[in-house]
PDB file of all heavy atoms in Angstrom:
ATOM      1  N   ASN A   1       0.820  -1.210   0.000  1.00  0.00           N
ATOM      2  CA  ASN A   1       0.000   0.000   0.000  1.00  0.00           C
ATOM      3  C   ASN A   1       0.855   1.261   0.000  1.00  0.00           C
ATOM      4  O   ASN A   1       0.479   2.278  -0.593  1.00  0.00           O
ATOM      5  CB  ASN A   1      -0.938   0.004   1.220  1.00  0.00           C
ATOM      6  CG  ASN A   1      -2.035  -1.038   1.118  1.00  0.00           C
ATOM      7  OD1 ASN A   1      -2.405  -1.447   0.011  1.00  0.00           O
ATOM      8  ND2 ASN A   1      -2.549  -1.485   2.254  1.00  0.00           N
ATOM      9  N   ARG A   2       2.017   1.205   0.658  1.00  0.00           N
ATOM     10  CA  ARG A   2       2.879   2.386   0.746  1.00  0.00           C
ATOM     11  C   ARG A   2       3.581   2.682  -0.587  1.00  0.00           C
ATOM     12  O   ARG A   2       3.710   3.842  -0.970  1.00  0.00           O
ATOM     13  CB  ARG A   2       3.934   2.190   1.841  1.00  0.00           C
ATOM     14  CG  ARG A   2       3.403   2.281   3.252  1.00  0.00           C
ATOM     15  CD  ARG A   2       4.511   2.076   4.254  1.00  0.00           C
ATOM     16  NE  ARG A   2       5.523   3.135   4.185  1.00  0.00           N
ATOM     17  CZ  ARG A   2       6.658   3.116   4.874  1.00  0.00           C
ATOM     18  NH1 ARG A   2       6.939   2.077   5.652  1.00  0.00           N
ATOM     19  NH2 ARG A   2       7.502   4.109   4.781  1.00  0.00           N
ATOM     20  N   ILE A   3       4.067   1.637  -1.249  1.00  0.00           N
ATOM     21  CA  ILE A   3       4.955   1.889  -2.389  1.00  0.00           C
ATOM     22  C   ILE A   3       4.294   1.776  -3.759  1.00  0.00           C
ATOM     23  O   ILE A   3       4.729   2.441  -4.703  1.00  0.00           O
ATOM     24  CB  ILE A   3       6.186   0.957  -2.337  1.00  0.00           C
ATOM     25  CG1 ILE A   3       5.787  -0.496  -2.575  1.00  0.00           C
ATOM     26  CG2 ILE A   3       6.917   1.107  -1.020  1.00  0.00           C
ATOM     27  CD1 ILE A   3       6.979  -1.444  -2.643  1.00  0.00           C
ATOM     28  N   ASN A   4       3.234   0.956  -3.894  1.00  0.00           N
ATOM     29  CA  ASN A   4       2.702   0.706  -5.246  1.00  0.00           C
ATOM     30  C   ASN A   4       2.160   1.967  -5.900  1.00  0.00           C
ATOM     31  O   ASN A   4       2.421   2.242  -7.078  1.00  0.00           O
ATOM     32  CB  ASN A   4       1.610  -0.364  -5.179  1.00  0.00           C
ATOM     33  CG  ASN A   4       2.194  -1.757  -4.967  1.00  0.00           C
ATOM     34  OD1 ASN A   4       3.404  -1.956  -5.110  1.00  0.00           O
ATOM     35  ND2 ASN A   4       1.349  -2.721  -4.618  1.00  0.00           N
ATOM     36  N   GLN A   5       1.384   2.750  -5.156  1.00  0.00           N
ATOM     37  CA  GLN A   5       0.806   3.953  -5.729  1.00  0.00           C
ATOM     38  C   GLN A   5       1.885   4.967  -6.096  1.00  0.00           C
ATOM     39  O   GLN A   5       1.828   5.616  -7.150  1.00  0.00           O
ATOM     40  CB  GLN A   5      -0.205   4.569  -4.754  1.00  0.00           C
ATOM     41  CG  GLN A   5      -0.967   5.757  -5.341  1.00  0.00           C
ATOM     42  CD  GLN A   5      -2.034   6.263  -4.392  1.00  0.00           C
ATOM     43  OE1 GLN A   5      -2.203   5.732  -3.299  1.00  0.00           O
ATOM     44  NE2 GLN A   5      -2.759   7.295  -4.801  1.00  0.00           N
ATOM     45  N   SER A   6       2.914   5.090  -5.242  1.00  0.00           N
ATOM     46  CA  SER A   6       4.003   6.018  -5.528  1.00  0.00           C
ATOM     47  C   SER A   6       4.790   5.591  -6.762  1.00  0.00           C
ATOM     48  O   SER A   6       5.119   6.415  -7.630  1.00  0.00           O
ATOM     49  CB  SER A   6       4.948   6.106  -4.323  1.00  0.00           C
ATOM     50  OG  SER A   6       4.275   6.611  -3.195  1.00  0.00           O
ATOM     51  N   LEU A   7       5.091   4.301  -6.864  1.00  0.00           N
ATOM     52  CA  LEU A   7       5.870   3.817  -8.000  1.00  0.00           C
ATOM     53  C   LEU A   7       5.101   3.976  -9.306  1.00  0.00           C
ATOM     54  O   LEU A   7       5.696   4.229 -10.370  1.00  0.00           O
ATOM     55  CB  LEU A   7       6.253   2.351  -7.780  1.00  0.00           C
ATOM     56  CG  LEU A   7       7.127   2.063  -6.560  1.00  0.00           C
ATOM     57  CD1 LEU A   7       7.579   0.618  -6.536  1.00  0.00           C
ATOM     58  CD2 LEU A   7       8.336   2.979  -6.524  1.00  0.00           C
ATOM     59  N   GLU A   8       3.787   3.834  -9.250  1.00  0.00           N
ATOM     60  CA  GLU A   8       2.973   4.022 -10.454  1.00  0.00           C
ATOM     61  C   GLU A   8       3.084   5.465 -10.961  1.00  0.00           C
ATOM     62  O   GLU A   8       3.168   5.711 -12.165  1.00  0.00           O
ATOM     63  CB  GLU A   8       1.523   3.658 -10.154  1.00  0.00           C
ATOM     64  CG  GLU A   8       0.612   3.720 -11.372  1.00  0.00           C
ATOM     65  CD  GLU A   8      -0.814   3.306 -11.046  1.00  0.00           C
ATOM     66  OE1 GLU A   8      -1.044   2.781  -9.938  1.00  0.00           O
ATOM     67  OE2 GLU A   8      -1.683   3.518 -11.901  1.00  0.00           O
ATOM     68  N   GLN A   9       3.108   6.427 -10.050  1.00  0.00           N
ATOM     69  CA  GLN A   9       3.261   7.836 -10.457  1.00  0.00           C
ATOM     70  C   GLN A   9       4.660   8.115 -11.003  1.00  0.00           C
ATOM     71  O   GLN A   9       4.826   8.851 -11.971  1.00  0.00           O
ATOM     72  CB  GLN A   9       2.983   8.747  -9.262  1.00  0.00           C
ATOM     73  CG  GLN A   9       1.575   8.685  -8.720  1.00  0.00           C
ATOM     74  CD  GLN A   9       1.385   9.638  -7.554  1.00  0.00           C
ATOM     75  OE1 GLN A   9       1.700  10.836  -7.649  1.00  0.00           O
ATOM     76  NE2 GLN A   9       0.892   9.126  -6.439  1.00  0.00           N
ATOM     77  N   ILE A  10       5.670   7.505 -10.389  1.00  0.00           N
ATOM     78  CA  ILE A  10       7.041   7.752 -10.836  1.00  0.00           C
ATOM     79  C   ILE A  10       7.270   7.163 -12.222  1.00  0.00           C
ATOM     80  O   ILE A  10       7.960   7.759 -13.055  1.00  0.00           O
ATOM     81  CB  ILE A  10       8.030   7.155  -9.812  1.00  0.00           C
ATOM     82  CG1 ILE A  10       7.935   7.920  -8.494  1.00  0.00           C
ATOM     83  CG2 ILE A  10       9.463   7.206 -10.343  1.00  0.00           C
ATOM     84  CD1 ILE A  10       8.737   7.314  -7.359  1.00  0.00           C
ATOM     85  N   ARG A  11       6.701   5.986 -12.489  1.00  0.00           N
ATOM     86  CA  ARG A  11       6.881   5.350 -13.800  1.00  0.00           C
ATOM     87  C   ARG A  11       6.296   6.186 -14.940  1.00  0.00           C
ATOM     88  O   ARG A  11       6.684   6.026 -16.096  1.00  0.00           O
ATOM     89  CB  ARG A  11       6.246   3.958 -13.799  1.00  0.00           C
ATOM     90  CG  ARG A  11       7.025   2.926 -12.987  1.00  0.00           C
ATOM     91  CD  ARG A  11       6.472   1.533 -13.215  1.00  0.00           C
ATOM     92  NE  ARG A  11       7.237   0.527 -12.489  1.00  0.00           N
ATOM     93  CZ  ARG A  11       6.866  -0.010 -11.330  1.00  0.00           C
ATOM     94  NH1 ARG A  11       5.707   0.385 -10.766  1.00  0.00           N
ATOM     95  NH2 ARG A  11       7.613  -0.908 -10.737  1.00  0.00           N
ATOM     96  N   LYS A  12       5.360   7.073 -14.631  1.00  0.00           N
ATOM     97  CA  LYS A  12       4.760   7.911 -15.662  1.00  0.00           C
ATOM     98  C   LYS A  12       5.702   9.017 -16.135  1.00  0.00           C
ATOM     99  O   LYS A  12       5.484   9.623 -17.180  1.00  0.00           O
ATOM    100  CB  LYS A  12       3.457   8.531 -15.144  1.00  0.00           C
ATOM    101  CG  LYS A  12       2.350   7.515 -14.893  1.00  0.00           C
ATOM    102  CD  LYS A  12       1.090   8.189 -14.351  1.00  0.00           C
ATOM    103  CE  LYS A  12      -0.001   7.174 -14.076  1.00  0.00           C
ATOM    104  NZ  LYS A  12      -1.232   7.825 -13.512  1.00  0.00           N
ATOM    105  N   LYS A  13       6.749   9.294 -15.362  1.00  0.00           N
ATOM    106  CA  LYS A  13       7.709  10.318 -15.760  1.00  0.00           C
ATOM    107  C   LYS A  13       8.558   9.824 -16.929  1.00  0.00           C
ATOM    108  O   LYS A  13       8.892   8.641 -17.024  1.00  0.00           O
ATOM    109  CB  LYS A  13       8.618  10.689 -14.578  1.00  0.00           C
ATOM    110  CG  LYS A  13       7.910  11.435 -13.455  1.00  0.00           C
ATOM    111  CD  LYS A  13       8.885  11.780 -12.348  1.00  0.00           C
ATOM    112  CE  LYS A  13       8.245  12.699 -11.318  1.00  0.00           C
ATOM    113  NZ  LYS A  13       7.994  14.056 -11.873  1.00  0.00           N
ATOM    114  N   ALA A  14       8.925  10.738 -17.803  1.00  0.00           N
ATOM    115  CA  ALA A  14       9.722  10.374 -18.976  1.00  0.00           C
ATOM    116  C   ALA A  14      11.132   9.970 -18.565  1.00  0.00           C
ATOM    117  O   ALA A  14      11.709  10.540 -17.632  1.00  0.00           O
ATOM    118  CB  ALA A  14       9.780  11.554 -19.951  1.00  0.00           C
ATOM    119  N   ASN A  15      11.681   8.975 -19.259  1.00  0.00           N
ATOM    120  CA  ASN A  15      13.062   8.510 -19.057  1.00  0.00           C
ATOM    121  C   ASN A  15      13.324   8.107 -17.608  1.00  0.00           C
ATOM    122  O   ASN A  15      14.370   8.403 -17.045  1.00  0.00           O
ATOM    123  CB  ASN A  15      14.059   9.594 -19.479  1.00  0.00           C
ATOM    124  CG  ASN A  15      13.911   9.997 -20.932  1.00  0.00           C
ATOM    125  OD1 ASN A  15      13.730   9.142 -21.795  1.00  0.00           O
ATOM    126  ND2 ASN A  15      13.968  11.292 -21.203  1.00  0.00           N
ATOM    127  N   THR A  16      12.332   7.427 -17.025  1.00  0.00           N
ATOM    128  CA  THR A  16      12.453   6.997 -15.632  1.00  0.00           C
ATOM    129  C   THR A  16      12.153   5.505 -15.525  1.00  0.00           C
ATOM    130  O   THR A  16      11.186   5.021 -16.118  1.00  0.00           O
ATOM    131  CB  THR A  16      11.492   7.779 -14.725  1.00  0.00           C
ATOM    132  OG1 THR A  16      11.752   9.179 -14.861  1.00  0.00           O
ATOM    133  CG2 THR A  16      11.680   7.397 -13.268  1.00  0.00           C
ATOM    134  N   GLU A  17      12.988   4.784 -14.786  1.00  0.00           N
ATOM    135  CA  GLU A  17      12.793   3.360 -14.541  1.00  0.00           C
ATOM    136  C   GLU A  17      12.834   3.101 -13.051  1.00  0.00           C
ATOM    137  O   GLU A  17      13.529   3.794 -12.305  1.00  0.00           O
ATOM    138  CB  GLU A  17      13.873   2.527 -15.247  1.00  0.00           C
ATOM    139  CG  GLU A  17      13.901   2.692 -16.764  1.00  0.00           C
ATOM    140  CD  GLU A  17      15.007   1.883 -17.398  1.00  0.00           C
ATOM    141  OE1 GLU A  17      15.393   0.831 -16.810  1.00  0.00           O
ATOM    142  OE2 GLU A  17      15.508   2.270 -18.461  1.00  0.00           O
ATOM    143  N   VAL A  18      12.088   2.065 -12.619  1.00  0.00           N
ATOM    144  CA  VAL A  18      11.977   1.754 -11.195  1.00  0.00           C
ATOM    145  C   VAL A  18      12.227   0.268 -10.982  1.00  0.00           C
ATOM    146  O   VAL A  18      11.750  -0.574 -11.747  1.00  0.00           O
ATOM    147  CB  VAL A  18      10.587   2.134 -10.646  1.00  0.00           C
ATOM    148  CG1 VAL A  18      10.472   1.739  -9.171  1.00  0.00           C
ATOM    149  CG2 VAL A  18      10.332   3.621 -10.798  1.00  0.00           C
ATOM    150  N   LEU A  19      13.000  -0.039  -9.932  1.00  0.00           N
ATOM    151  CA  LEU A  19      13.255  -1.423  -9.543  1.00  0.00           C
ATOM    152  C   LEU A  19      13.164  -1.524  -8.029  1.00  0.00           C
ATOM    153  O   LEU A  19      13.746  -0.704  -7.309  1.00  0.00           O
ATOM    154  CB  LEU A  19      14.643  -1.876  -9.999  1.00  0.00           C
ATOM    155  CG  LEU A  19      15.098  -3.259  -9.509  1.00  0.00           C
ATOM    156  CD1 LEU A  19      14.270  -4.361 -10.179  1.00  0.00           C
ATOM    157  CD2 LEU A  19      16.576  -3.473  -9.782  1.00  0.00           C
ATOM    158  N   VAL A  20      12.421  -2.531  -7.534  1.00  0.00           N
ATOM    159  CA  VAL A  20      12.285  -2.761  -6.101  1.00  0.00           C
ATOM    160  C   VAL A  20      13.168  -3.935  -5.717  1.00  0.00           C
ATOM    161  O   VAL A  20      13.052  -5.032  -6.282  1.00  0.00           O
ATOM    162  CB  VAL A  20      10.817  -3.028  -5.709  1.00  0.00           C
ATOM    163  CG1 VAL A  20      10.721  -3.300  -4.206  1.00  0.00           C
ATOM    164  CG2 VAL A  20       9.938  -1.846  -6.097  1.00  0.00           C
ATOM    165  N   ASP A  21      14.063  -3.699  -4.763  1.00  0.00           N
ATOM    166  CA  ASP A  21      15.030  -4.705  -4.336  1.00  0.00           C
ATOM    167  C   ASP A  21      14.683  -5.173  -2.923  1.00  0.00           C
ATOM    168  O   ASP A  21      14.577  -4.377  -1.998  1.00  0.00           O
ATOM    169  CB  ASP A  21      16.447  -4.090  -4.360  1.00  0.00           C
ATOM    170  CG  ASP A  21      17.491  -5.060  -3.863  1.00  0.00           C
ATOM    171  OD1 ASP A  21      17.278  -6.275  -3.978  1.00  0.00           O
ATOM    172  OD2 ASP A  21      18.537  -4.597  -3.356  1.00  0.00           O
ATOM    173  N   MET A  22      14.486  -6.492  -2.770  1.00  0.00           N
ATOM    174  CA  MET A  22      14.189  -7.082  -1.466  1.00  0.00           C
ATOM    175  C   MET A  22      15.464  -7.118  -0.632  1.00  0.00           C
ATOM    176  O   MET A  22      16.492  -7.657  -1.050  1.00  0.00           O
ATOM    177  CB  MET A  22      13.656  -8.491  -1.661  1.00  0.00           C
ATOM    178  CG  MET A  22      13.346  -9.203  -0.379  1.00  0.00           C
ATOM    179  SD  MET A  22      11.851  -8.556   0.399  1.00  0.00           S
ATOM    180  CE  MET A  22      11.611  -9.755   1.698  1.00  0.00           C
ATOM    181  N   VAL A  23      15.428  -6.530   0.572  1.00  0.00           N
ATOM    182  CA  VAL A  23      16.615  -6.463   1.424  1.00  0.00           C
ATOM    183  C   VAL A  23      16.552  -7.497   2.539  1.00  0.00           C
ATOM    184  O   VAL A  23      17.448  -8.327   2.690  1.00  0.00           O
ATOM    185  CB  VAL A  23      16.788  -5.049   2.011  1.00  0.00           C
ATOM    186  CG1 VAL A  23      17.997  -5.004   2.935  1.00  0.00           C
ATOM    187  CG2 VAL A  23      16.933  -4.030   0.897  1.00  0.00           C
ATOM    188  N   SER A  24      15.503  -7.482   3.348  1.00  0.00           N
ATOM    189  CA  SER A  24      15.400  -8.440   4.455  1.00  0.00           C
ATOM    190  C   SER A  24      13.940  -8.592   4.885  1.00  0.00           C
ATOM    191  O   SER A  24      13.125  -7.683   4.699  1.00  0.00           O
ATOM    192  CB  SER A  24      16.262  -7.991   5.641  1.00  0.00           C
ATOM    193  OG  SER A  24      15.778  -6.769   6.173  1.00  0.00           O
ATOM    194  N   PHE A  25      13.657  -9.750   5.466  1.00  0.00           N
ATOM    195  CA  PHE A  25      12.332 -10.040   6.013  1.00  0.00           C
ATOM    196  C   PHE A  25      12.559 -10.935   7.230  1.00  0.00           C
ATOM    197  O   PHE A  25      12.774 -12.136   7.100  1.00  0.00           O
ATOM    198  CB  PHE A  25      11.460 -10.732   4.961  1.00  0.00           C
ATOM    199  CG  PHE A  25      10.019 -10.904   5.370  1.00  0.00           C
ATOM    200  CD1 PHE A  25       9.404  -9.977   6.195  1.00  0.00           C
ATOM    201  CD2 PHE A  25       9.274 -11.992   4.918  1.00  0.00           C
ATOM    202  CE1 PHE A  25       8.081 -10.121   6.568  1.00  0.00           C
ATOM    203  CE2 PHE A  25       7.942 -12.147   5.283  1.00  0.00           C
ATOM    204  CZ  PHE A  25       7.346 -11.215   6.101  1.00  0.00           C
ATOM    205  N   VAL A  26      12.538 -10.329   8.436  1.00  0.00           N
ATOM    206  CA  VAL A  26      12.941 -11.053   9.643  1.00  0.00           C
ATOM    207  C   VAL A  26      11.889 -10.878  10.730  1.00  0.00           C
ATOM    208  O   VAL A  26      11.157  -9.881  10.764  1.00  0.00           O
ATOM    209  CB  VAL A  26      14.308 -10.538  10.158  1.00  0.00           C
ATOM    210  CG1 VAL A  26      15.405 -10.820   9.148  1.00  0.00           C
ATOM    211  CG2 VAL A  26      14.251  -9.050  10.476  1.00  0.00           C
ATOM    212  N   PRO A  27      11.813 -11.855  11.645  1.00  0.00           N
ATOM    213  CA  PRO A  27      10.919 -11.688  12.813  1.00  0.00           C
ATOM    214  C   PRO A  27      11.529 -10.728  13.822  1.00  0.00           C
ATOM    215  O   PRO A  27      12.750 -10.606  13.921  1.00  0.00           O
ATOM    216  CB  PRO A  27      10.823 -13.108  13.381  1.00  0.00           C
ATOM    217  CG  PRO A  27      12.089 -13.778  12.946  1.00  0.00           C
ATOM    218  CD  PRO A  27      12.438 -13.187  11.614  1.00  0.00           C
ATOM    219  N   ILE A  28      10.679 -10.061  14.560  1.00  0.00           N
ATOM    220  CA  ILE A  28      11.139  -9.178  15.631  1.00  0.00           C
ATOM    221  C   ILE A  28      10.570  -9.688  16.955  1.00  0.00           C
ATOM    222  O   ILE A  28       9.533 -10.356  16.991  1.00  0.00           O
ATOM    223  CB  ILE A  28      10.714  -7.710  15.389  1.00  0.00           C
ATOM    224  CG1 ILE A  28       9.206  -7.589  15.179  1.00  0.00           C
ATOM    225  CG2 ILE A  28      11.468  -7.127  14.207  1.00  0.00           C
ATOM    226  CD1 ILE A  28       8.734  -6.164  14.971  1.00  0.00           C
ATOM    227  N   TYR A  29      11.299  -9.362  18.034  1.00  0.00           N
ATOM    228  CA  TYR A  29      10.934  -9.892  19.349  1.00  0.00           C
ATOM    229  C   TYR A  29      10.803  -8.759  20.356  1.00  0.00           C
ATOM    230  O   TYR A  29      11.355  -7.669  20.184  1.00  0.00           O
ATOM    231  CB  TYR A  29      11.995 -10.895  19.826  1.00  0.00           C
ATOM    232  CG  TYR A  29      12.073 -12.137  18.977  1.00  0.00           C
ATOM    233  CD1 TYR A  29      12.851 -12.152  17.823  1.00  0.00           C
ATOM    234  CD2 TYR A  29      11.383 -13.292  19.321  1.00  0.00           C
ATOM    235  CE1 TYR A  29      12.940 -13.293  17.035  1.00  0.00           C
ATOM    236  CE2 TYR A  29      11.459 -14.438  18.550  1.00  0.00           C
ATOM    237  CZ  TYR A  29      12.236 -14.434  17.403  1.00  0.00           C
ATOM    238  OH  TYR A  29      12.307 -15.559  16.632  1.00  0.00           O
ATOM    239  N   GLU A  30      10.078  -9.058  21.440  1.00  0.00           N
ATOM    240  CA  GLU A  30       9.967  -8.153  22.561  1.00  0.00           C
ATOM    241  C   GLU A  30      10.023  -8.977  23.858  1.00  0.00           C
ATOM    242  O   GLU A  30       9.964 -10.216  23.817  1.00  0.00           O
ATOM    243  CB  GLU A  30       8.664  -7.357  22.506  1.00  0.00           C
ATOM    244  CG  GLU A  30       7.417  -8.205  22.602  1.00  0.00           C
ATOM    245  CD  GLU A  30       6.148  -7.386  22.454  1.00  0.00           C
ATOM    246  OE1 GLU A  30       6.254  -6.204  22.098  1.00  0.00           O
ATOM    247  OE2 GLU A  30       5.052  -7.939  22.689  1.00  0.00           O
ATOM    248  N   TYR A  31      10.161  -8.286  24.987  1.00  0.00           N
ATOM    249  CA  TYR A  31      10.287  -8.987  26.269  1.00  0.00           C
ATOM    250  C   TYR A  31       8.954  -8.996  27.015  1.00  0.00           C
ATOM    251  O   TYR A  31       8.251  -7.983  27.083  1.00  0.00           O
ATOM    252  CB  TYR A  31      11.365  -8.330  27.125  1.00  0.00           C
ATOM    253  CG  TYR A  31      12.758  -8.582  26.613  1.00  0.00           C
ATOM    254  CD1 TYR A  31      13.404  -7.630  25.827  1.00  0.00           C
ATOM    255  CD2 TYR A  31      13.417  -9.769  26.906  1.00  0.00           C
ATOM    256  CE1 TYR A  31      14.681  -7.860  25.351  1.00  0.00           C
ATOM    257  CE2 TYR A  31      14.689 -10.010  26.444  1.00  0.00           C
ATOM    258  CZ  TYR A  31      15.323  -9.053  25.660  1.00  0.00           C
ATOM    259  OH  TYR A  31      16.579  -9.287  25.192  1.00  0.00           O
TER     260      TYR A  31
END
């Protein structure tokens, strides 16, 4: 929801390309 709408607007610009790179997907913990 955060990135798809923004990337769609950016792709409409001339001479512009977009690539999404997966960095990490990890569990988080609390005490």
